[in-house]
Amino acid sequence: KFFMIYEEKMRNLGISKDELAKMYSPGRGTNSTVYKYNDRLALKVLNQDGLRGYDEKEFLNILGIQNSTCVFPQEMVEVGEGSLGYLMDYVQGTTLIKIIKKIDFSTLIAAIKRVEEDTHELSKIKMIFEDLNQGGLMWDEEKYKIRIIDTDFFRKADEATEEECYERSIESFYSLIEQELGIIDGIGSRLAEYLQNNSEFSTLYAEHILSSLRGKNRSVIELIEKAIEIFEQDFGRRPKNIEEMEQLLEERVVKQGICVTPA
């Protein structure tokens, strides 16, 4: 039975199903629903699919872990008449994909560096990011940093080295950031097409791919900084964020009425 080990001492929050239905819910997934419990904590309540999909041993391995990037379950609780879930930190913000192009580059780069540092810390206890997706990346509007909220399927890989754990986790994170920034997918993306047609950027990206295949990921920050450098050279000013890059390209198209290609 799920949570068998903790069943006898699990705290009941004293919230009925009717009261739960009236609580503010910032998100709902196939396995659970998240509610704002108070200004500091969120309550994640599992449904039947969620209960069937969880491995108790793996879940207990992540329970109570403190990390400034990843939001781990902190306390298992009972809600209503036998509904199970857990409390975790409440993140005041929005999904990263909705705002990433508006974040100034200095703030974004600092946030990515923080994720890299925190991922290194988690790799020391052999933690690996599993099932990381765009919905799980949040932008903390109070602390100006990236938070990873869907940690339910993260797991400890005792058979792997610390370096292997880091590389497997950070690869998943970098891939999502590259996609959200729109700097690598050339299909329907004017910015990606512009950058990929620049020999310096395309060479650097190829080096990133080769490094990843060898199990040694290079930071996505290098790609961001190269993109900034290219725009500063081509447009005579340093863009503050991805949104401004896209605006500069759009303005050039409107003024010249031609396809945008790097000089």
Side-chain angles (χ1 to χ4, degrees):
K1 185 175 180 179
F2 190 65
F3 294 160
M4 182 182 294
I5 298 175
Y6 284 83
E7 185 177 10
E8 292 185 2
K9 59 181 179 180
M10 191 182 305
R11 181 163 66 103
N12 190 308
L13 295 181
I15 299 174
S16 68
K17 289 185 178 181
D18 289 340
E19 291 172 326
L20 192 66
K22 296 177 183 178
M23 292 173 63
Y24 169 66
S25 173
R28 182 185 301 270
T30 56
N31 296 319
S32 61
T33 302
V34 177
Y35 300 92
K36 183 178 180 181
Y37 183 62
N38 56 36
D39 290 338
R40 188 177 62 86
L41 296 172
L43 169 64
K44 193 166 191 176
V45 180
L46 306 174
N47 57 30
Q48 291 303 311
D49 288 338
L51 292 174
R52 284 192 293 268
Y54 278 72
D55 182 297
E56 182 178 35
K57 181 180 179 181
E58 293 291 350
F59 185 83
L60 294 178
N61 279 334
I62 66 173
L63 185 66
I65 294 176
Q66 297 288 334
N67 186 265
S68 65
T69 290
C70 297
V71 181
F72 287 100
Q74 294 302 309
E75 180 188 3
M76 294 183 294
V77 293
E78 185 176 357
V79 181
E81 300 175 1
S83 295
L84 302 176
Y86 60 81
L87 294 172
M88 60 184 183
D89 289 344
Y90 179 76
V91 178
Q92 180 66 46
T94 185
T95 51
L96 183 63
I97 193 172
K98 292 181 179 180
I99 198 172
I100 192 170
K101 293 185 178 182
K102 298 179 182 292
I103 301 172
D104 66 87
F105 285 125
S106 60
T107 300
L108 180 61
I109 288 172
I112 292 173
K113 286 181 178 178
R114 184 59 181 268
V115 174
E116 292 172 341
E117 293 170 0
D118 286 341
T119 304
H120 269 299
E121 288 301 309
L122 289 173
S123 70
K124 293 178 181 179
I125 59 171
K126 305 296 185 70
M127 188 61 62
I128 289 181
F129 298 175
E130 294 280 9
D131 196 34
L132 193 61
N133 57 72
Q134 290 177 331
L137 296 184
M138 295 284 294
W139 180 251
D140 190 324
E141 296 174 345
E142 294 182 340
K143 299 180 180 179
Y144 298 101
K145 66 179 184 179
I146 297 168
R147 304 293 300 275
I148 299 175
I149 59 170
D150 284 340
T151 59
D152 307 60
F153 294 99
F154 286 15
R155 68 180 184 87
K156 284 192 175 182
D158 293 328
E159 74 283 359
T161 65
E162 181 178 323
E163 182 179 5
E164 288 171 339
C165 290
Y166 175 78
E167 295 299 338
R168 287 170 63 178
S169 294
I170 207 66
E171 180 180 13
S172 299
F173 172 73
Y174 286 158
S175 295
L176 289 178
I177 294 298
E178 290 169 4
Q179 292 171 25
E180 294 189 355
L181 287 172
I183 60 177
I184 63 166
D185 185 0
I187 301 175
S189 170
R190 182 173 287 141
L191 174 59
E193 183 179 358
Y194 186 84
L195 291 172
Q196 294 291 354
N197 283 333
N198 180 283
S199 59
E200 291 185 11
F201 188 89
S202 60
T203 298
L204 179 61
Y205 184 65
E207 292 172 355
H208 274 245
I209 295 296
L210 288 174
S211 295
S212 178
L213 292 174
R214 294 168 182 153
K216 188 66 176 178
N217 293 278
R218 295 174 61 169
S219 178
V220 69
I221 293 173
E222 291 183 346
L223 295 174
I224 296 172
E225 291 177 334
K226 175 57 68 175
I228 296 171
E229 178 186 318
I230 290 170
F231 268 74
E232 193 167 12
Q233 292 173 351
D234 292 356
F235 292 86
R237 76 188 210 209
R238 184 182 178 87
K240 63 181 180 180
N241 53 30
I242 289 291
E243 187 174 67
E244 186 173 338
M245 285 183 172
E246 294 178 335
Q247 290 173 349
L248 288 171
L249 288 176
E250 183 64 29
E251 289 171 3
R252 175 172 288 188
V253 170
V254 172
K255 289 180 180 179
Q256 299 182 359
I258 60 175
C259 295
V260 178
T261 54

